[in-house]
Amino acid sequence: MESTLNTNTTDALSLRTRKDFPILDQEINGHPLIYFDNAATSQKPVQVLDAVRRYYEHDNANVHRGIHELSNRATLAYESARERTAQFLNARSSKEIVFTRGTTEAVNLVASCLGQSLKSGDKILITEMEHHSNMVPWQLIAQRTGAELLYLPVKDTFGELDLDQLDNLLTPDVRIFSFVHISNSLGTINPAKVLCAKARSVGALSFVDGAQSGGHYPVDLQDIDCDFYALSGHKIGGPTGIGALYAKGDLFNELPPYHGGGEMISEVTYDRPIFKEGPHKFEAGTPNMSGAVGLAAAMDYIDSIGRQAIYDHDRELAEYFYNEISKLPGTQVYGPKENRAGLVSFLLGGMHAHDLVTLADQKGIALRGGHHCTQPLMKKFGVTGTARASFYFYNNRQEVDRCLEVLEHIQKRFGDLE
Ligand code: PMP
């Protein structure tokens, strides 16, 4: 295939950052590793690894309760990471940030806490393109409370939400509208600001699943004006097991607690606990201090590149991949053609996604195949799953060309177009 990517800026980010990711410099099955599974998890720069190591070598102790130097340092590092996260998302205050294990825990926290006041007759609105993380917690809460769970439809395989149906579904009995900012299986970028304004206009809360937008796209929460937003550290160069939940203004004070335990109380008697204010009420037990330190370092790293530059780079690679893979006979590509995020879901004619991904792995290429935790959406499209290539700033055009070459070869050898 001939390259149709006519920009020479696409590889500048890769050239600049590649040295910071030693993991990428290895062979898999005798071929140079090409890591295109970034939507599942990103690789970590040495700056993040160093920050975590430095924390453990110099500052580690338990936070908040100690009155000694190391505990003060650990507390400072942890609370500074909260400030950094607030700044990264342009929240108004660090009091609006709770550290979680990731996006999944953030959705569970809000669903469970809000669920305590939901009742039969209330409605929860999500969309048909949600990741299971932003679907199953709401299904559980709907089952428990008798609230009704509604789905805003996806129009077709181009992956746009059917916004014409929004007014019918988003009625004043909807308590919360929760939707994905960037779809992990389609690459659709949903109009978060518009959707949150719509939710507000009927008195519903809004929750934006930012797992795929946090470190991949310029995100300004004061501009989006959502009530909740969640991200996962491991998808933006940070460690696993740490993420953030934003709640606007005083919302954390209005919600009941999630987990009970140490750290989240101001006083306990045998009769009852009295809870701390704000984010601390939702962080029971010893928190993930080193994770928070690593997350803050990842945010520093991302901002040293620039989120607009990252988005432009990833989108260019994705549009190039989308256009080129579409030329192979029998290929089906999912999600929007333009204005998409940096990932592409596809099926090669006559091939199961798992076979395709297994064969690509033999050439050192890491793709993902399956339902991408959006099983109902795949069913709607009449497939059990797709293959997905997802890009980040350290990827480059040569890698995409090599991947396309391998996929073309696989399709010719193994694809059954009868
Ligand atoms: N939402 C979306 C859109 C995702 O892509 C993912 C991760 N694949 C999640 C939620 C869940 O994130 P985590 O597993 O980090 O909690």
Side-chain angles (χ1 to χ4, degrees), residues 39-40 102-105 131 133 180 182 184 209 211-212 232 234-235:
T103 307
T104 305
E105 191 181 40
H131 188 281
S133 296
V180 70
I182 293 183
N184 66 304
D209 170 351
Q212 297 294 339
S232 299
H234 71 94
K235 293 191 197 278

Side-chain angles (χ1 to χ4, degrees), residues 61-81:
N62 211 329
V63 287
H64 298 140
R65 286 163 295 194
I67 314 177
H68 58 80
E69 173 61 17
L70 284 192
S71 178
N72 289 339
R73 277 197 230 157
T75 305
L76 184 63
Y78 184 66
E79 291 305 325
S80 302

Side-chain angles (χ1 to χ4, degrees), residues 63-65 257-286:
V63 287
H64 298 140
R65 286 163 295 194
Y258 180 44
H259 293 149
E263 302 279 358
M264 50 84 77
I265 48 84
S266 60
E267 193 189 333
V268 181
T269 67
Y270 284 125
D271 298 323
R272 67 190 174 97
I274 301 171
F275 306 117
K276 277 185 183 158
E277 288 269 282
H280 300 289
K281 184 169 81 182
F282 296 92
E283 293 180 358
T286 300

Side-chain angles (χ1 to χ4, degrees), residues 16 30 62 74 99 120 138 182 244 259 261 274 282 334 381 390 409:
R16 203 176 114 198
N62 211 329
F99 286 121
S120 166
W138 300 114
I182 293 183
H259 293 149
I274 301 171
F282 296 92
Y334 298 85
F381 292 159
S390 53
H409 177 74

Side-chain angles (χ1 to χ4, degrees), residues 404-415:
L404 288 165
E405 189 188 310
V406 166
L407 292 175
E408 186 175 13
H409 177 74
I410 291 174
Q411 203 275 326
K412 277 194 182 135
R413 254 195 95 194
F414 301 98

